[in-house]
Amino acid sequence: MDTPRSDELFARARRVIPGGVNSPVRAFGSVGGTPRFLRAGEGCYVTDVDGRRYVDLVGSWGPLLLGHAHPRVLAAIARALPDGTSFGAPVEAEVDLAEAVLDRVPATELVRFVNSGTEATMSAIRLARGATGRDLLVKFEGNYHGHADSLLVAAGSGALTTGVPSSAGVPAGTAADTLVARYNDPASLEALFDAHPDAIAAVILEPVAGNMGVVPPAAGFLEAVRALTRRHGAVMIVDEVMTGFRLARGGAVERFGLDPDLVTWGKVVGGGLPVGAYGGRRDLMERISPLGPVYQAGTLSGNPLAMAAGLATLRAIDAAGDVYEVLEARGRALESGLAEAAAGAGVDVHINRVGSMLTVFFTDRPVAGYADATAADGARFARWFHGLLERGVYWPASPFEAAFLGYAHGPDALDAVVEAAAGAFADVAEAG
Ligand code: HOZ
């Protein structure tokens, strides 16, 4: 496919930006080819700089639950804009957004806004360590919580896609403080608690893994993590950067009836502008500066434009009234359409979906964890990805990411995706 303008921009970008991108998966490294430089988005469509239009299943990697350029979100930003872009002082919109978050997730009593999911998880972990006086952290293999040092151990997302799940540059001492358990395997977590009595500060997890591809929690897994953390006096941090306000009005906490100590958010809470947040039990959150000794700060935290976009998004979700039901129904339709298309082409896939998050694994086995996800066929995925792209579907450029449906994906767009997928599966079958 000819993409001269993207080719030209990518060549220029590589001269001035490492790998030509500001976040690794965007480089198309694991699928090959030139990343599309995008120029505009509207609803569920994006247009690249060569004028090609795609149905977008990336959705800015999750924030755009309502689709691109949603009128209410644009209007909220436009209303806030003439008053200035940043004050580094309290603004009304951050109080509004804090109230909106706590209203949706009553298990959390106080919330602090930061600028990204990475900041949120990093800060929550510091808080857990400060509150417990313990150093060790447990994460799950293939879960990704942003790029803070202590979290780039057996990580998913771009770290896994680029083949460096445990990053260079992380001090050995820091990595040694991060213990790794197996997702959906409570016994592996119990073994860590037994081996390190009274030393584990926190367990952080994705309630639905989305960064080794989508892997749903097995029955009883989340409850077991809660019981073990409680029994051993560790803080349970539910990382809802991907799932928050996406899997239900109150995110995975609501969908799975969780009772976490701390929750982290990003993506949807910022409505497409840079926002992260962490919140939780009052007694924990009151240890954050200026109330307590755990320090965390940020010049752009609570930024008025970002708060306006987040608030407009949450309010527009409520105003629509049926967002989560629609996402569930369309997610189910997409899943079955893709499964039929794969079967029609004789290609073995296993599709994991929770609500509006979905991954197609090129394998004949169920995918319940890291070993299953990494055993799937990456070359077949790459061929399928390019088959989709050529047919006008913009899918995440990695087998270890979730595709995101939004409220703007109507039946026509989904039919187009399934039709393109059928052609792309046929390409895969032909290549053998
Ligand atoms: N790590 C993000 C997805 N899990 C990708 C971020 C990006 O490339 O924008």
Side-chain angles (χ1 to χ4, degrees):
M1 189 200 289
D2 286 343
T3 52
R5 187 84 184 107
S6 280
D7 293 346
E8 184 191 321
L9 283 171
F10 194 40
R12 268 177 65 200
R14 274 184 295 185
R15 285 197 285 273
V16 289
I17 301 171
V21 290
N22 284 308
S23 192
V25 182
R26 300 178 196 180
F28 277 27
S30 74
V31 293
T34 304
R36 303 299 183 262
F37 279 67
L38 299 184
R39 192 182 57 71
E42 189 187 0
C44 68
Y45 297 97
V46 287
T47 306
D48 71 14
V49 290
D50 290 291
R52 291 177 192 275
R53 194 167 184 252
Y54 308 85
V55 180
D56 178 22
L57 273 303
V58 177
S60 187
W61 306 96
L64 302 181
L65 189 78
L66 297 172
H68 292 272
H70 189 279
R72 291 178 71 137
V73 178
L74 296 191
I77 297 169
R79 268 196 309 277
L81 194 56
D83 291 331
T85 54
S86 178
F87 302 108
V91 296
E92 186 171 343
E94 63 194 335
V95 187
D96 293 337
L97 187 56
E99 288 169 353
V101 167
L102 300 185
D103 171 61
R104 284 159 179 76
V105 193
T108 55
E109 295 175 296
L110 291 174
V111 59
R112 169 64 65 83
F113 292 112
V114 291
N115 302 288
S116 68
T118 292
E119 262 190 83
T121 55
M122 186 181 82
S123 307
I125 289 163
R126 183 181 306 132
L127 173 56
R129 285 176 162 151
T132 57
R134 301 172 178 180
D135 286 344
L136 296 181
L137 166 73
V138 177
K139 74 176 286 291
F140 290 92
E141 196 177 31
N143 278 200
Y144 177 76
H145 309 284
H147 61 91
D149 279 354
S150 60
L151 292 163
L152 285 181
V153 178
S157 189
L160 183 54
T161 305
T162 55
V164 283
S166 298
S167 175
V170 174
T174 303
D177 280 342
T178 300
L179 310 173
V180 179
R182 281 186 301 277
Y183 198 73
N184 280 335
D185 180 356
S188 71
L189 178 60
E190 190 160 16
L192 292 176
F193 274 119
D194 290 345
H196 304 276
D198 302 325
I200 295 174
V203 176
I204 186 167
L205 83 165
E206 293 181 72
V208 172
N211 286 290
M212 50 179 159
V214 173
V215 177
F221 173 62
L222 299 172
E223 293 75 7
V225 174
R226 177 65 284 187
L228 284 166
T229 45
R230 222 167 238 150
R231 186 181 320 149
H232 294 277
V235 175
M236 179 179 179
I237 305 172
V238 173
D239 179 359
E240 291 240 52
V241 168
M242 232 180 221
T243 54
F245 315 110
R246 171 170 286 281
L247 293 187
R249 186 171 185 269
V253 167
E254 176 187 319
R255 188 169 177 127
F256 297 104
L258 306 179
D259 180 23
D261 300 308
L262 293 176
V263 181
T264 56
W265 296 279
K267 301 192 189 278
V268 175
V269 74
L273 266 64
V275 180
Y278 62 107
R281 276 174 21 212
R282 179 176 295 277
D283 64 302
L284 286 173
M285 294 298 289
E286 285 185 344
R287 293 170 190 263
I288 300 166
S289 186
L291 295 179
V294 179
Y295 197 71
Q296 180 268 308
T299 298
L300 290 167
S301 296
N303 174 270
L305 300 183
M307 297 293 103
L311 190 60
T313 297
L314 297 187
R315 285 183 175 163
I317 290 171
D318 281 358
D322 62 353
V323 167
Y324 299 105
E325 293 82 347
V326 167
L327 288 176
E328 189 65 48
R330 296 209 181 132
R332 196 178 310 119
L334 179 62
E335 178 186 352
S336 62
L338 292 174
E340 266 173 47
V347 174
D348 283 332
V349 296
H350 196 88
I351 300 175
N352 278 353
R353 178 186 69 84
V354 179
S356 54
M357 297 167 56
L358 175 150
T359 296
V360 177
F361 292 99
F362 285 78
T363 174
D364 56 2
R365 284 188 292 157
V367 177
Y370 182 84
D372 302 325
T374 52
D377 191 325
R380 289 194 131 197
F381 171 82
R383 194 160 289 122
W384 185 70
F385 167 84
H386 279 291
L388 287 176
L389 199 61
E390 279 159 24
R391 294 172 175 86
V393 174
Y394 190 71
W395 193 270
S398 162
F400 304 120
E401 297 285 355
F404 292 105
L405 267 179
Y407 192 56
H409 287 93
D412 290 352
L414 294 185
D415 286 350
V417 173
V418 170
E419 193 183 322
F425 283 125
D427 295 348
V428 171
E430 197 184 309

